[in-house]
Amino acid sequence: MQLPSNIETRRLTAPQGLPEAARILAAGGLVAFPTETVYGLGADATDGEAVARIYAAKGRPSFNPLIAHVPDLAAAEREGIFNAQARALALAFWPGPLTLVVPVAPTGAVSPLARAGLESVGLRVPAHPVALALLRAFGKPVAAPSANRSGRVSPTEAAHVAGDLAGRVEAILDGGPTEVGVESTIVACLDETPRILRPGGVTRQAIEAALGRSLPDSQGAEAIIAPGMMQSHYAPSRPLALAAQKGAADAAILDFHGQLAHEPCLARIDLSPAGDLIEAAARLFSALRRLDESGAARILAAPVPEEGLGEAINDRLARAAAPRGL
Ligand code: TXA
Ligand code: MG
């Protein structure tokens, strides 16, 4: 797959363009598609390299966890574990502008990169006939942030998407203007108390009515949630050193492009022996987790070039290396 720059962007129209859009997704390509909220920039959520290309196309400075879009609750329950509250919200608002963040199911296939390494997954069934038809035709979860370049407003028309992403995605599936215009409401159902992580298309009042209880005040949600709950990124438990030039017998090496291939270590994973930043991004979170569990006292990360997705990889590594509790 090419890096997302100077790609020929195909304009597809639903329903004729649906099979082609699904083929592009299956080949690891990017397809922008309409949902009822905003246009999404979709890729096969189970393919780490396809997901890495989303971040590259958006020019995201860091790897935020992405929403995995599925056609129905049954598909969602293969990806995540739904407690009673999550199921009640899904039954009340899906298809619709609600994203549920739930623990990853043992059968979950969404790639670690799309989850930013977390053991939770954001799931949504969009209420748009074109989105649902695409999800059914493709048959796997589709990871999709809003289809805009980082720092720009979310697109509600195919023309907005083209303005931002033409030349950076394989296809734009035109389904007309979107109806809701604001993103989905995100609710975390990770324990007995659901929490609104982001206000959006479904109101707090509607959510509280469906649950039959009031929720913690969303104004202060980030502040009042226990440390760790709001962490939107996986962090290893072992100390991590950046831009390492040498190994050590008790250390695990997170290598890139074979730079530390001959250094002493307890364990070593090369994010991309070939020096491919897309491949490195796709493998980052699973590699961190494996090295964290390797029994090594610390993790030494080789330098990663600060270009393309290297910027996001370095941002992630810098957060993982920062002292905890700050
Ligand atoms: O309406 C929408 O939600 C649109 C359409 C395309 O579906 N999508 C969208 O995606 O707004 P995005 O990437 O712009 O916002 C996704 C949000 C991020 O703020 C991310 O932190 C949160 O979802 N999120 C996803 N998975 C999460 C998880 N496992 N834990 C916490 N937050 C999560
Ligand atoms: Mg967005």
Side-chain angles (χ1 to χ4, degrees), residues 33 35 37-41 58 60 64-67 69 99 101 114-115 118 120-122 124 144-147 154 182-184 186 197-198 231-232:
F33 65 97
T35 80
T37 58
V38 300
Y39 273 75
L41 173 55
K58 282 195 64 122
R60 276 216 171 165
N64 298 323
L66 303 177
I67 298 168
H69 297 72
T99 295
V101 172
R115 294 185 278 109
L118 297 171
S120 61
V121 60
R124 174 161 116 79
S146 49
S154 295
V182 302
E183 285 95 338
S184 60
I186 303 180
L197 301 184
R198 178 179 77 180
Q231 268 175 9
S232 61

PDB file of all heavy atoms in Angstrom, residues 33 35 37-41 58 60 64-67 69 99 101 114-115 118 120-122 124 144-147 154 182-184 186 197-198 231-232, ligand 1:
ATOM      1  N   PHE A  33     -16.765   7.846   4.028  1.00  0.00           N
ATOM      2  CA  PHE A  33     -18.171   7.463   3.823  1.00  0.00           C
ATOM      3  C   PHE A  33     -19.065   8.280   4.751  1.00  0.00           C
ATOM      4  O   PHE A  33     -18.630   8.745   5.805  1.00  0.00           O
ATOM      5  CB  PHE A  33     -18.354   5.949   4.064  1.00  0.00           C
ATOM      6  CG  PHE A  33     -18.102   5.525   5.489  1.00  0.00           C
ATOM      7  CD1 PHE A  33     -19.155   5.355   6.388  1.00  0.00           C
ATOM      8  CD2 PHE A  33     -16.807   5.302   5.938  1.00  0.00           C
ATOM      9  CE1 PHE A  33     -18.931   4.967   7.707  1.00  0.00           C
ATOM     10  CE2 PHE A  33     -16.566   4.918   7.260  1.00  0.00           C
ATOM     11  CZ  PHE A  33     -17.624   4.750   8.142  1.00  0.00           C
ATOM     12  N   THR A  35     -21.924   9.113   7.506  1.00  0.00           N
ATOM     13  CA  THR A  35     -22.746   8.573   8.600  1.00  0.00           C
ATOM     14  C   THR A  35     -23.787   9.660   8.875  1.00  0.00           C
ATOM     15  O   THR A  35     -23.739  10.735   8.270  1.00  0.00           O
ATOM     16  CB  THR A  35     -21.940   8.268   9.888  1.00  0.00           C
ATOM     17  OG1 THR A  35     -21.723   9.487  10.605  1.00  0.00           O
ATOM     18  CG2 THR A  35     -20.608   7.590   9.569  1.00  0.00           C
ATOM     19  N   THR A  37     -23.937  11.483  11.423  1.00  0.00           N
ATOM     20  CA  THR A  37     -23.341  12.604  12.150  1.00  0.00           C
ATOM     21  C   THR A  37     -22.445  13.418  11.220  1.00  0.00           C
ATOM     22  O   THR A  37     -22.769  14.557  10.882  1.00  0.00           O
ATOM     23  CB  THR A  37     -22.528  12.115  13.363  1.00  0.00           C
ATOM     24  OG1 THR A  37     -21.506  11.220  12.917  1.00  0.00           O
ATOM     25  CG2 THR A  37     -23.418  11.432  14.384  1.00  0.00           C
ATOM     26  N   VAL A  38     -21.322  12.839  10.850  1.00  0.00           N
ATOM     27  CA  VAL A  38     -20.360  13.477   9.940  1.00  0.00           C
ATOM     28  C   VAL A  38     -19.796  12.395   9.032  1.00  0.00           C
ATOM     29  O   VAL A  38     -20.028  11.207   9.266  1.00  0.00           O
ATOM     30  CB  VAL A  38     -19.207  14.160  10.727  1.00  0.00           C
ATOM     31  CG1 VAL A  38     -19.755  15.238  11.664  1.00  0.00           C
ATOM     32  CG2 VAL A  38     -18.388  13.147  11.517  1.00  0.00           C
ATOM     33  N   TYR A  39     -19.048  12.791   7.996  1.00  0.00           N
ATOM     34  CA  TYR A  39     -18.356  11.790   7.178  1.00  0.00           C
ATOM     35  C   TYR A  39     -17.214  11.185   7.990  1.00  0.00           C
ATOM     36  O   TYR A  39     -16.529  11.881   8.741  1.00  0.00           O
ATOM     37  CB  TYR A  39     -17.805  12.418   5.888  1.00  0.00           C
ATOM     38  CG  TYR A  39     -18.814  12.432   4.759  1.00  0.00           C
ATOM     39  CD1 TYR A  39     -19.872  13.341   4.772  1.00  0.00           C
ATOM     40  CD2 TYR A  39     -18.720  11.528   3.699  1.00  0.00           C
ATOM     41  CE1 TYR A  39     -20.819  13.333   3.743  1.00  0.00           C
ATOM     42  CE2 TYR A  39     -19.654  11.517   2.664  1.00  0.00           C
ATOM     43  CZ  TYR A  39     -20.703  12.418   2.695  1.00  0.00           C
ATOM     44  OH  TYR A  39     -21.637  12.404   1.694  1.00  0.00           O
ATOM     45  N   GLY A  40     -17.047   9.859   7.826  1.00  0.00           N
ATOM     46  CA  GLY A  40     -15.959   9.160   8.502  1.00  0.00           C
ATOM     47  C   GLY A  40     -14.882   8.775   7.502  1.00  0.00           C
ATOM     48  O   GLY A  40     -15.161   8.594   6.317  1.00  0.00           O
ATOM     49  N   LEU A  41     -13.657   8.650   7.994  1.00  0.00           N
ATOM     50  CA  LEU A  41     -12.538   8.204   7.160  1.00  0.00           C
ATOM     51  C   LEU A  41     -12.256   6.757   7.536  1.00  0.00           C
ATOM     52  O   LEU A  41     -11.651   6.481   8.576  1.00  0.00           O
ATOM     53  CB  LEU A  41     -11.313   9.089   7.412  1.00  0.00           C
ATOM     54  CG  LEU A  41     -10.015   8.668   6.743  1.00  0.00           C
ATOM     55  CD1 LEU A  41     -10.192   8.525   5.246  1.00  0.00           C
ATOM     56  CD2 LEU A  41      -8.925   9.670   7.057  1.00  0.00           C
ATOM     57  N   LYS A  58      -4.807  11.735   7.937  1.00  0.00           N
ATOM     58  CA  LYS A  58      -5.343  12.864   8.708  1.00  0.00           C
ATOM     59  C   LYS A  58      -4.269  13.817   9.165  1.00  0.00           C
ATOM     60  O   LYS A  58      -4.546  14.957   9.537  1.00  0.00           O
ATOM     61  CB  LYS A  58      -6.086  12.354   9.958  1.00  0.00           C
ATOM     62  CG  LYS A  58      -7.472  11.817   9.646  1.00  0.00           C
ATOM     63  CD  LYS A  58      -8.305  11.659  10.897  1.00  0.00           C
ATOM     64  CE  LYS A  58      -8.606  12.943  11.602  1.00  0.00           C
ATOM     65  NZ  LYS A  58     -10.022  13.263  11.776  1.00  0.00           N
ATOM     66  N   ARG A  60      -2.615  13.280  11.890  1.00  0.00           N
ATOM     67  CA  ARG A  60      -2.839  13.353  13.341  1.00  0.00           C
ATOM     68  C   ARG A  60      -1.513  13.420  14.068  1.00  0.00           C
ATOM     69  O   ARG A  60      -0.632  12.630  13.814  1.00  0.00           O
ATOM     70  CB  ARG A  60      -3.589  12.110  13.830  1.00  0.00           C
ATOM     71  CG  ARG A  60      -5.061  12.245  13.643  1.00  0.00           C
ATOM     72  CD  ARG A  60      -5.814  11.586  14.791  1.00  0.00           C
ATOM     73  NE  ARG A  60      -7.217  11.961  14.614  1.00  0.00           N
ATOM     74  CZ  ARG A  60      -8.230  11.380  15.212  1.00  0.00           C
ATOM     75  NH1 ARG A  60      -8.000  10.392  16.059  1.00  0.00           N
ATOM     76  NH2 ARG A  60      -9.452  11.773  15.000  1.00  0.00           N
ATOM     77  N   ASN A  64      -4.992   8.721  18.678  1.00  0.00           N
ATOM     78  CA  ASN A  64      -6.172   8.619  19.534  1.00  0.00           C
ATOM     79  C   ASN A  64      -6.875   7.306  19.226  1.00  0.00           C
ATOM     80  O   ASN A  64      -6.833   6.851  18.088  1.00  0.00           O
ATOM     81  CB  ASN A  64      -7.157   9.747  19.246  1.00  0.00           C
ATOM     82  CG  ASN A  64      -6.569  11.096  19.535  1.00  0.00           C
ATOM     83  OD1 ASN A  64      -5.819  11.259  20.494  1.00  0.00           O
ATOM     84  ND2 ASN A  64      -6.873  12.072  18.697  1.00  0.00           N
ATOM     85  N   PRO A  65      -7.553   6.729  20.221  1.00  0.00           N
ATOM     86  CA  PRO A  65      -8.342   5.547  19.872  1.00  0.00           C
ATOM     87  C   PRO A  65      -9.465   5.929  18.913  1.00  0.00           C
ATOM     88  O   PRO A  65     -10.015   7.026  18.990  1.00  0.00           O
ATOM     89  CB  PRO A  65      -8.884   5.069  21.222  1.00  0.00           C
ATOM     90  CG  PRO A  65      -8.752   6.216  22.154  1.00  0.00           C
ATOM     91  CD  PRO A  65      -7.676   7.108  21.633  1.00  0.00           C
ATOM     92  N   LEU A  66      -9.765   5.036  17.991  1.00  0.00           N
ATOM     93  CA  LEU A  66     -10.771   5.308  16.960  1.00  0.00           C
ATOM     94  C   LEU A  66     -12.046   4.533  17.242  1.00  0.00           C
ATOM     95  O   LEU A  66     -12.018   3.506  17.921  1.00  0.00           O
ATOM     96  CB  LEU A  66     -10.240   4.890  15.584  1.00  0.00           C
ATOM     97  CG  LEU A  66      -8.936   5.537  15.145  1.00  0.00           C
ATOM     98  CD1 LEU A  66      -8.499   4.963  13.805  1.00  0.00           C
ATOM     99  CD2 LEU A  66      -9.102   7.051  15.058  1.00  0.00           C
ATOM    100  N   ILE A  67     -13.153   5.010  16.699  1.00  0.00           N
ATOM    101  CA  ILE A  67     -14.427   4.306  16.820  1.00  0.00           C
ATOM    102  C   ILE A  67     -14.480   3.210  15.758  1.00  0.00           C
ATOM    103  O   ILE A  67     -14.198   3.466  14.584  1.00  0.00           O
ATOM    104  CB  ILE A  67     -15.602   5.287  16.639  1.00  0.00           C
ATOM    105  CG1 ILE A  67     -15.563   6.356  17.745  1.00  0.00           C
ATOM    106  CG2 ILE A  67     -16.932   4.538  16.633  1.00  0.00           C
ATOM    107  CD1 ILE A  67     -16.497   7.538  17.496  1.00  0.00           C
ATOM    108  N   HIS A  69     -16.885   0.983  13.631  1.00  0.00           N
ATOM    109  CA  HIS A  69     -18.277   1.004  13.192  1.00  0.00           C
ATOM    110  C   HIS A  69     -18.695  -0.395  12.769  1.00  0.00           C
ATOM    111  O   HIS A  69     -17.955  -1.073  12.042  1.00  0.00           O
ATOM    112  CB  HIS A  69     -18.445   1.991  12.033  1.00  0.00           C
ATOM    113  CG  HIS A  69     -18.128   3.412  12.411  1.00  0.00           C
ATOM    114  ND1 HIS A  69     -16.840   3.851  12.641  1.00  0.00           N
ATOM    115  CD2 HIS A  69     -18.934   4.484  12.619  1.00  0.00           C
ATOM    116  CE1 HIS A  69     -16.873   5.135  12.983  1.00  0.00           C
ATOM    117  NE2 HIS A  69     -18.131   5.553  12.976  1.00  0.00           N
ATOM    118  N   THR A  99     -21.716   6.338  20.683  1.00  0.00           N
ATOM    119  CA  THR A  99     -20.572   5.421  20.708  1.00  0.00           C
ATOM    120  C   THR A  99     -20.446   4.866  22.118  1.00  0.00           C
ATOM    121  O   THR A  99     -20.476   5.629  23.084  1.00  0.00           O
ATOM    122  CB  THR A  99     -19.284   6.163  20.306  1.00  0.00           C
ATOM    123  OG1 THR A  99     -19.414   6.573  18.940  1.00  0.00           O
ATOM    124  CG2 THR A  99     -18.050   5.261  20.450  1.00  0.00           C
ATOM    125  N   VAL A 101     -18.051   2.826  24.723  1.00  0.00           N
ATOM    126  CA  VAL A 101     -16.710   2.334  25.024  1.00  0.00           C
ATOM    127  C   VAL A 101     -16.867   1.213  26.042  1.00  0.00           C
ATOM    128  O   VAL A 101     -17.350   1.446  27.156  1.00  0.00           O
ATOM    129  CB  VAL A 101     -15.805   3.461  25.557  1.00  0.00           C
ATOM    130  CG1 VAL A 101     -14.472   2.905  26.046  1.00  0.00           C
ATOM    131  CG2 VAL A 101     -15.573   4.513  24.464  1.00  0.00           C
ATOM    132  N   ALA A 114      -5.959   0.689  16.507  1.00  0.00           N
ATOM    133  CA  ALA A 114      -7.259   1.386  16.487  1.00  0.00           C
ATOM    134  C   ALA A 114      -7.751   1.653  17.902  1.00  0.00           C
ATOM    135  O   ALA A 114      -8.515   2.589  18.132  1.00  0.00           O
ATOM    136  CB  ALA A 114      -8.289   0.573  15.706  1.00  0.00           C
ATOM    137  N   ARG A 115      -7.319   0.829  18.869  1.00  0.00           N
ATOM    138  CA  ARG A 115      -7.709   1.016  20.273  1.00  0.00           C
ATOM    139  C   ARG A 115      -6.663   1.808  21.050  1.00  0.00           C
ATOM    140  O   ARG A 115      -6.769   1.933  22.275  1.00  0.00           O
ATOM    141  CB  ARG A 115      -7.889  -0.359  20.937  1.00  0.00           C
ATOM    142  CG  ARG A 115      -9.042  -1.159  20.370  1.00  0.00           C
ATOM    143  CD  ARG A 115      -9.257  -2.456  21.130  1.00  0.00           C
ATOM    144  NE  ARG A 115      -8.369  -3.537  20.705  1.00  0.00           N
ATOM    145  CZ  ARG A 115      -7.357  -4.021  21.426  1.00  0.00           C
ATOM    146  NH1 ARG A 115      -7.070  -3.512  22.605  1.00  0.00           N
ATOM    147  NH2 ARG A 115      -6.623  -5.012  20.962  1.00  0.00           N
ATOM    148  N   LEU A 118      -5.457   0.185  24.190  1.00  0.00           N
ATOM    149  CA  LEU A 118      -6.317  -0.002  25.362  1.00  0.00           C
ATOM    150  C   LEU A 118      -6.996  -1.359  25.337  1.00  0.00           C
ATOM    151  O   LEU A 118      -7.112  -1.993  24.288  1.00  0.00           O
ATOM    152  CB  LEU A 118      -7.391   1.097  25.401  1.00  0.00           C
ATOM    153  CG  LEU A 118      -6.879   2.516  25.543  1.00  0.00           C
ATOM    154  CD1 LEU A 118      -8.025   3.506  25.346  1.00  0.00           C
ATOM    155  CD2 LEU A 118      -6.241   2.710  26.908  1.00  0.00           C
ATOM    156  N   SER A 120     -10.062  -1.480  26.008  1.00  0.00           N
ATOM    157  CA  SER A 120     -11.454  -1.127  25.721  1.00  0.00           C
ATOM    158  C   SER A 120     -11.561  -0.791  24.242  1.00  0.00           C
ATOM    159  O   SER A 120     -10.546  -0.563  23.573  1.00  0.00           O
ATOM    160  CB  SER A 120     -11.899   0.064  26.571  1.00  0.00           C
ATOM    161  OG  SER A 120     -11.094   1.190  26.281  1.00  0.00           O
ATOM    162  N   VAL A 121     -12.794  -0.795  23.748  1.00  0.00           N
ATOM    163  CA  VAL A 121     -13.011  -0.492  22.333  1.00  0.00           C
ATOM    164  C   VAL A 121     -14.243   0.394  22.208  1.00  0.00           C
ATOM    165  O   VAL A 121     -15.229   0.211  22.926  1.00  0.00           O
ATOM    166  CB  VAL A 121     -13.139  -1.802  21.509  1.00  0.00           C
ATOM    167  CG1 VAL A 121     -14.301  -2.664  21.988  1.00  0.00           C
ATOM    168  CG2 VAL A 121     -13.256  -1.515  20.012  1.00  0.00           C
ATOM    169  N   GLY A 122     -14.155   1.399  21.326  1.00  0.00           N
ATOM    170  CA  GLY A 122     -15.282   2.278  21.050  1.00  0.00           C
ATOM    171  C   GLY A 122     -16.069   1.719  19.874  1.00  0.00           C
ATOM    172  O   GLY A 122     -15.509   1.495  18.809  1.00  0.00           O
ATOM    173  N   ARG A 124     -19.810   1.688  17.450  1.00  0.00           N
ATOM    174  CA  ARG A 124     -20.994   2.460  17.070  1.00  0.00           C
ATOM    175  C   ARG A 124     -21.674   1.822  15.871  1.00  0.00           C
ATOM    176  O   ARG A 124     -20.998   1.385  14.938  1.00  0.00           O
ATOM    177  CB  ARG A 124     -20.556   3.896  16.729  1.00  0.00           C
ATOM    178  CG  ARG A 124     -21.651   4.776  16.194  1.00  0.00           C
ATOM    179  CD  ARG A 124     -21.240   6.235  16.334  1.00  0.00           C
ATOM    180  NE  ARG A 124     -21.082   6.919  15.059  1.00  0.00           N
ATOM    181  CZ  ARG A 124     -22.087   7.375  14.329  1.00  0.00           C
ATOM    182  NH1 ARG A 124     -23.334   7.202  14.717  1.00  0.00           N
ATOM    183  NH2 ARG A 124     -21.846   8.024  13.197  1.00  0.00           N
ATOM    184  N   ALA A 144     -13.116   4.476  11.952  1.00  0.00           N
ATOM    185  CA  ALA A 144     -13.293   5.743  11.245  1.00  0.00           C
ATOM    186  C   ALA A 144     -13.366   6.926  12.202  1.00  0.00           C
ATOM    187  O   ALA A 144     -14.314   7.034  12.978  1.00  0.00           O
ATOM    188  CB  ALA A 144     -14.563   5.706  10.389  1.00  0.00           C
ATOM    189  N   PRO A 145     -12.380   7.797  12.135  1.00  0.00           N
ATOM    190  CA  PRO A 145     -12.530   9.119  12.753  1.00  0.00           C
ATOM    191  C   PRO A 145     -13.255  10.026  11.762  1.00  0.00           C
ATOM    192  O   PRO A 145     -13.553   9.606  10.641  1.00  0.00           O
ATOM    193  CB  PRO A 145     -11.088   9.584  12.935  1.00  0.00           C
ATOM    194  CG  PRO A 145     -10.360   8.956  11.786  1.00  0.00           C
ATOM    195  CD  PRO A 145     -11.090   7.668  11.451  1.00  0.00           C
ATOM    196  N   SER A 146     -13.554  11.265  12.167  1.00  0.00           N
ATOM    197  CA  SER A 146     -14.154  12.186  11.216  1.00  0.00           C
ATOM    198  C   SER A 146     -13.173  12.419  10.054  1.00  0.00           C
ATOM    199  O   SER A 146     -11.960  12.434  10.240  1.00  0.00           O
ATOM    200  CB  SER A 146     -14.513  13.491  11.910  1.00  0.00           C
ATOM    201  OG  SER A 146     -13.414  13.973  12.664  1.00  0.00           O
ATOM    202  N   ALA A 147     -13.729  12.574   8.840  1.00  0.00           N
ATOM    203  CA  ALA A 147     -12.919  12.570   7.620  1.00  0.00           C
ATOM    204  C   ALA A 147     -12.368  13.954   7.283  1.00  0.00           C
ATOM    205  O   ALA A 147     -12.558  14.470   6.177  1.00  0.00           O
ATOM    206  CB  ALA A 147     -13.745  12.016   6.450  1.00  0.00           C
ATOM    207  N   SER A 154     -15.125  18.971  11.272  1.00  0.00           N
ATOM    208  CA  SER A 154     -15.647  17.707  10.772  1.00  0.00           C
ATOM    209  C   SER A 154     -16.511  17.941   9.543  1.00  0.00           C
ATOM    210  O   SER A 154     -17.314  18.873   9.503  1.00  0.00           O
ATOM    211  CB  SER A 154     -16.469  17.019  11.863  1.00  0.00           C
ATOM    212  OG  SER A 154     -15.643  16.662  12.945  1.00  0.00           O
ATOM    213  N   VAL A 182     -23.221  16.998  14.212  1.00  0.00           N
ATOM    214  CA  VAL A 182     -22.263  16.902  15.327  1.00  0.00           C
ATOM    215  C   VAL A 182     -21.959  15.432  15.557  1.00  0.00           C
ATOM    216  O   VAL A 182     -22.765  14.565  15.225  1.00  0.00           O
ATOM    217  CB  VAL A 182     -22.769  17.539  16.644  1.00  0.00           C
ATOM    218  CG1 VAL A 182     -23.105  18.992  16.453  1.00  0.00           C
ATOM    219  CG2 VAL A 182     -23.956  16.775  17.202  1.00  0.00           C
ATOM    220  N   GLU A 183     -20.779  15.171  16.128  1.00  0.00           N
ATOM    221  CA  GLU A 183     -20.345  13.798  16.313  1.00  0.00           C
ATOM    222  C   GLU A 183     -21.211  13.060  17.333  1.00  0.00           C
ATOM    223  O   GLU A 183     -21.995  13.672  18.064  1.00  0.00           O
ATOM    224  CB  GLU A 183     -18.883  13.767  16.777  1.00  0.00           C
ATOM    225  CG  GLU A 183     -17.889  14.075  15.673  1.00  0.00           C
ATOM    226  CD  GLU A 183     -17.486  15.534  15.631  1.00  0.00           C
ATOM    227  OE1 GLU A 183     -18.246  16.380  16.158  1.00  0.00           O
ATOM    228  OE2 GLU A 183     -16.425  15.812  15.062  1.00  0.00           O
ATOM    229  N   SER A 184     -20.975  11.766  17.391  1.00  0.00           N
ATOM    230  CA  SER A 184     -21.732  10.929  18.320  1.00  0.00           C
ATOM    231  C   SER A 184     -21.386  11.258  19.769  1.00  0.00           C
ATOM    232  O   SER A 184     -20.281  11.701  20.069  1.00  0.00           O
ATOM    233  CB  SER A 184     -21.424   9.446  18.055  1.00  0.00           C
ATOM    234  OG  SER A 184     -20.055   9.177  18.223  1.00  0.00           O
ATOM    235  N   ILE A 186     -20.253   9.983  23.255  1.00  0.00           N
ATOM    236  CA  ILE A 186     -19.460   8.812  23.658  1.00  0.00           C
ATOM    237  C   ILE A 186     -19.720   8.513  25.125  1.00  0.00           C
ATOM    238  O   ILE A 186     -19.554   9.379  25.981  1.00  0.00           O
ATOM    239  CB  ILE A 186     -17.955   9.043  23.435  1.00  0.00           C
ATOM    240  CG1 ILE A 186     -17.696   9.388  21.958  1.00  0.00           C
ATOM    241  CG2 ILE A 186     -17.156   7.800  23.838  1.00  0.00           C
ATOM    242  CD1 ILE A 186     -16.244   9.643  21.626  1.00  0.00           C
ATOM    243  N   LEU A 197     -18.173  10.556  27.961  1.00  0.00           N
ATOM    244  CA  LEU A 197     -16.811  11.028  27.679  1.00  0.00           C
ATOM    245  C   LEU A 197     -16.826  12.204  26.708  1.00  0.00           C
ATOM    246  O   LEU A 197     -15.904  12.997  26.687  1.00  0.00           O
ATOM    247  CB  LEU A 197     -15.961   9.901  27.082  1.00  0.00           C
ATOM    248  CG  LEU A 197     -15.794   8.631  27.914  1.00  0.00           C
ATOM    249  CD1 LEU A 197     -14.836   7.664  27.223  1.00  0.00           C
ATOM    250  CD2 LEU A 197     -15.284   8.955  29.316  1.00  0.00           C
ATOM    251  N   ARG A 198     -17.857  12.267  25.867  1.00  0.00           N
ATOM    252  CA  ARG A 198     -17.985  13.378  24.924  1.00  0.00           C
ATOM    253  C   ARG A 198     -19.455  13.595  24.652  1.00  0.00           C
ATOM    254  O   ARG A 198     -20.156  12.661  24.284  1.00  0.00           O
ATOM    255  CB  ARG A 198     -17.262  13.043  23.608  1.00  0.00           C
ATOM    256  CG  ARG A 198     -17.384  14.143  22.549  1.00  0.00           C
ATOM    257  CD  ARG A 198     -16.640  13.792  21.263  1.00  0.00           C
ATOM    258  NE  ARG A 198     -17.376  12.826  20.429  1.00  0.00           N
ATOM    259  CZ  ARG A 198     -16.949  12.354  19.273  1.00  0.00           C
ATOM    260  NH1 ARG A 198     -15.768  12.744  18.797  1.00  0.00           N
ATOM    261  NH2 ARG A 198     -17.664  11.492  18.577  1.00  0.00           N
ATOM    262  N   GLN A 231      -7.652   7.295  31.120  1.00  0.00           N
ATOM    263  CA  GLN A 231      -6.466   7.191  30.271  1.00  0.00           C
ATOM    264  C   GLN A 231      -6.910   6.792  28.881  1.00  0.00           C
ATOM    265  O   GLN A 231      -7.520   5.765  28.693  1.00  0.00           O
ATOM    266  CB  GLN A 231      -5.527   6.120  30.816  1.00  0.00           C
ATOM    267  CG  GLN A 231      -4.482   6.663  31.760  1.00  0.00           C
ATOM    268  CD  GLN A 231      -3.657   5.549  32.353  1.00  0.00           C
ATOM    269  OE1 GLN A 231      -3.759   4.403  31.932  1.00  0.00           O
ATOM    270  NE2 GLN A 231      -2.861   5.885  33.330  1.00  0.00           N
ATOM    271  N   SER A 232      -6.600   7.621  27.920  1.00  0.00           N
ATOM    272  CA  SER A 232      -7.015   7.274  26.575  1.00  0.00           C
ATOM    273  C   SER A 232      -5.855   6.628  25.826  1.00  0.00           C
ATOM    274  O   SER A 232      -5.884   6.494  24.630  1.00  0.00           O
ATOM    275  CB  SER A 232      -7.516   8.507  25.837  1.00  0.00           C
ATOM    276  OG  SER A 232      -6.491   9.443  25.754  1.00  0.00           O
TER     277      SER A 232
HETATM  278  O1  TXA B   1     -19.941  10.745  15.015  1.00  0.00           O
HETATM  279  C1  TXA B   1     -18.825  10.260  15.217  1.00  0.00           C
HETATM  280  O2  TXA B   1     -18.504   9.795  16.316  1.00  0.00           O
HETATM  281  C2  TXA B   1     -17.826  10.285  14.063  1.00  0.00           C
HETATM  282  C3  TXA B   1     -18.377   9.379  12.957  1.00  0.00           C
HETATM  283  C4  TXA B   1     -17.430   9.229  11.816  1.00  0.00           C
HETATM  284  O3  TXA B   1     -18.696   8.114  13.495  1.00  0.00           O
HETATM  285  N1  TXA B   1     -16.528   9.843  14.471  1.00  0.00           N
HETATM  286  C5  TXA B   1     -15.718  10.591  15.293  1.00  0.00           C
HETATM  287  O4  TXA B   1     -14.474  10.015  15.521  1.00  0.00           O
HETATM  288  O5  TXA B   1     -16.039  11.635  15.778  1.00  0.00           O
HETATM  289  P1  TXA B   1     -13.237  10.796  16.204  1.00  0.00           P
HETATM  290  O6  TXA B   1     -12.024   9.920  15.976  1.00  0.00           O
HETATM  291  O7  TXA B   1     -13.162  12.166  15.723  1.00  0.00           O
HETATM  292  O8  TXA B   1     -13.557  10.713  17.723  1.00  0.00           O
HETATM  293  C6  TXA B   1     -13.476   9.481  18.390  1.00  0.00           C
HETATM  294  C7  TXA B   1     -13.409   9.686  19.870  1.00  0.00           C
HETATM  295  C8  TXA B   1     -12.055  10.140  20.312  1.00  0.00           C
HETATM  296  O9  TXA B   1     -12.173  11.308  21.099  1.00  0.00           O
HETATM  297  C9  TXA B   1     -11.542   8.980  21.148  1.00  0.00           C
HETATM  298  O10 TXA B   1     -10.748   9.408  22.184  1.00  0.00           O
HETATM  299  C10 TXA B   1     -12.821   8.292  21.582  1.00  0.00           C
HETATM  300  O11 TXA B   1     -13.669   8.444  20.506  1.00  0.00           O
HETATM  301  N2  TXA B   1     -12.611   6.848  21.810  1.00  0.00           N
HETATM  302  C11 TXA B   1     -12.642   5.848  20.907  1.00  0.00           C
HETATM  303  N3  TXA B   1     -12.341   4.670  21.480  1.00  0.00           N
HETATM  304  C12 TXA B   1     -12.112   4.924  22.787  1.00  0.00           C
HETATM  305  C13 TXA B   1     -11.741   4.139  23.913  1.00  0.00           C
HETATM  306  N4  TXA B   1     -11.517   2.828  23.809  1.00  0.00           N
HETATM  307  N5  TXA B   1     -11.593   4.768  25.094  1.00  0.00           N
HETATM  308  C14 TXA B   1     -11.802   6.100  25.219  1.00  0.00           C
HETATM  309  N6  TXA B   1     -12.143   6.897  24.183  1.00  0.00           N
HETATM  310  C15 TXA B   1     -12.298   6.325  22.998  1.00  0.00           C
END
